[in-house]
Amino acid sequence: MKNRLKIERAILDLTQEQLAEKIGVSRQTINSIEKNRFVPSTVLALKLSLLFGKSVNEFFELDDDE
Amino acid sequence: MERMTKLEGDIEKINKFTGFQLPNKFKKVGLVLIIVSILAIVSSVKLYFTDLRSQDLFERIAKTGMILGLLMISISKEKVEDELISKIRMQSFNYAVISAVLIYSLVPFIHYIFILSFSKVATIEGSKDTAILSFLLFLQILIFKKLKKAYNEE
């Protein structure tokens, strides 16, 4: 799964720490999602969607082989 | 209908039990307990007890303290307990159980072969470990089946 989390975070001018705090996770979790090491739950994706004001599809995308 | 309610009750019970965690500060409590227990084991404190039975009991209590200290560190929350941490916790339990079972299954044989190369009267060591490992795996299989059933019940 590809993601645009880093870009969306930059648009809102948030650090990983600030974004983490806003959605109630640790900075490490944000970092691991951005690095594609961890796929978040639907609940977390929807929290991000609410914060970015965009639908989940706009910042999470399936890889071609998925 | 009654059966479904029972299963829902089961899953709630299991969730409560499997999701049980201690507050973060128990990491420090656990560490202190481990240090105190190790000091009690390696020091000569137990020699203050005059009879052998009390010495054994003291040592056993200290060893139990060490295990409980490790358990406290293992099941206490991180500062931020989120879904990544849950995943890591699950993976680490998985890895720990598999490696412990494999190591404890192989060590007696390695030990046996090693001793056999020096002496002709080698004995196979370890007996309680098989009971513990069987119990651990049996419990895991049982809980797995129960959870699978409970999650899939229509």
Side-chain angles (χ1 to χ4, degrees):
Chain A
M1 196 171 82
K2 288 178 277 195
N3 75 80
R4 285 170 36 91
L5 205 64
K6 201 170 178 176
I7 299 158
E8 297 298 336
R9 187 165 61 75
I11 293 170
L12 292 179
D13 195 24
L14 292 171
T15 63
Q16 286 187 342
E17 187 78 58
Q18 289 165 330
L19 178 61
E21 208 174 301
K22 278 183 189 290
I23 57 166
V25 295
S26 68
R27 190 196 62 76
Q28 286 85 348
T29 301
I30 298 296
N31 186 44
S32 62
I33 298 170
E34 284 184 7
K35 296 264 159 66
N36 265 327
R37 289 185 194 132
F38 176 61
V39 178
S41 69
T42 315
V43 174
L44 200 56
L46 289 172
K47 281 185 186 174
L48 288 166
S49 157
L50 206 64
L51 187 76
F52 296 151
K54 287 179 181 176
S55 88
V56 175
N57 281 322
E58 288 178 64
F59 53 92
F60 284 122
E61 201 185 323
L62 285 175
D63 269 327
D64 297 333
D65 56 346
E66 275 171 328
Chain B
M1 192 67 199
E2 206 172 87
R3 186 178 151 74
M4 192 177 154
T5 332
K6 189 186 166 291
L7 272 167
E8 272 174 9
D10 277 353
I11 203 168
E12 201 171 302
K13 247 189 276 172
I14 291 170
N15 272 343
K16 214 177 228 178
F17 191 73
T18 54
F20 176 75
Q21 285 180 317
L22 292 167
N24 181 253
K25 62 179 173 204
F26 275 87
K27 287 214 190 293
K28 279 186 192 139
V29 178
L31 189 64
V32 171
L33 191 57
I34 291 169
I35 293 168
V36 171
S37 305
I38 290 175
L39 286 178
I41 295 166
V42 298
S43 70
S44 48
V45 179
K46 73 170 182 181
L47 298 178
Y48 284 104
F49 296 99
T50 44
D51 63 309
L52 212 62
R53 207 191 288 172
S54 303
Q55 284 184 9
D56 283 349
L57 182 66
F58 177 79
E59 200 173 315
R60 186 70 211 203
I61 290 170
K63 282 179 181 169
T64 308
M66 191 175 75
I67 298 287
L68 289 179
L70 285 167
L71 183 69
M72 276 181 193
I73 293 178
S74 173
I75 65 170
S76 54
K77 285 180 186 164
E78 289 293 299
K79 285 206 175 84
V80 181
E81 187 73 30
D82 60 12
E83 53 188 67
L84 175 62
I85 293 295
S86 304
K87 189 184 174 187
I88 293 173
R89 199 181 294 287
M90 213 163 65
Q91 285 178 320
S92 62
F93 271 120
N94 206 8
Y95 193 89
V97 169
I98 294 171
S99 22
V101 169
L102 289 179
I103 290 168
Y104 268 92
S105 302
L106 292 177
V107 159
F109 296 103
I110 295 169
H111 182 259
Y112 183 74
I113 293 164
F114 184 72
I115 298 291
L116 204 64
S117 57
F118 291 107
S119 126
K120 278 180 182 162
V121 280
T123 51
I124 194 104
E125 295 239 334
S127 54
K128 279 182 189 159
D129 51 356
T130 52
I132 296 165
L133 296 178
S134 312
F135 178 69
L136 188 74
L137 291 170
F138 180 71
L139 204 62
Q140 192 273 329
I141 294 167
L142 198 75
I143 295 170
F144 179 84
K145 281 195 181 301
K146 203 167 174 137
L147 278 173
K148 200 169 127 183
K149 198 172 168 190
Y151 272 104
N152 284 303
E153 192 68 16
E154 299 283 331

